[in-house]
Amino acid sequence: MLTAGITHDLSNILNVVCGNLSLIEDDIENDRFDKKSLIVEVRDIQKAVGFARKLKEYLATFIQKKGKCDLEEFHIYDTLSNFVDMLPHLITSKYGISYESSVDNPLVYGDSHQLEMVLLNIAHNAKDAIGNNIEDRGKIKFSSEVVNVNGNCHICDKYMDGDYVHIGISNDGEPITPENLEKIFEEGFTTKKEGTGHGLVSVYNIIKNHN
């Protein structure tokens, strides 16, 4: 499942790189060379390559830790803000992507690289839910807030008591049908024509391994 998840994310990154290289090639062939456009396209490639480096670090950490999370303290607002800034270059800039937070910049305990993999997978699902018809829609919203938890976690069934950062992700695309909602974490399940059924499985396992 790790291999499938990494392959899925690398495929997304390669699409960004290849897409921008095609734009550059097309501009040169049609004598539409524009310095500002070229700079934007090159920077998009650089950001995508930077995210690929993070994937490499994640894979190296996974091998070293034998699949365990590399838990450490990090500032959640900084991590989310940087990710949201980079996201338009990883999916497409035509969507309205925003981030709102009701917290300052608290330290949380977790694996920031794996958190970014989770967010990227969910963001791609949001993009697919919105589709190409974005005249009246096309918004992907991230949010974070501190919540007090006193009860059992519905994923790991461990008792949790204290303050936690809740990360919300929403979009205005087509909702998941009730019958499919029960299957979204099943290995190989997908409703997409070219889907792999590995993205949300990877998300589920990363979150589960944090507990």
Side-chain angles (χ1 to χ4, degrees), residues 166-182:
H166 175 268
I167 299 173
I169 308 172
S170 63
N171 68 84
D172 54 1
E174 294 296 326
I176 302 172
T177 62
E179 58 268 25
N180 286 336
L181 192 60
E182 299 177 358

Side-chain angles (χ1 to χ4, degrees), residues 50-59 86 113 116-117:
F51 205 84
R53 289 197 183 101
K54 288 188 176 183
L55 274 179
K56 183 193 72 172
E57 293 172 5
Y58 167 50
L59 182 58
M86 183 168 53
H113 294 315
E116 289 174 335
M117 298 304 104

Side-chain angles (χ1 to χ4, degrees), residues 83-99:
F83 173 81
V84 170
D85 287 343
M86 183 168 53
L87 187 57
H89 308 285
L90 294 174
I91 50 175
T92 176
S93 59
K94 67 182 180 181
Y95 299 101
I97 300 170
S98 62
Y99 170 46

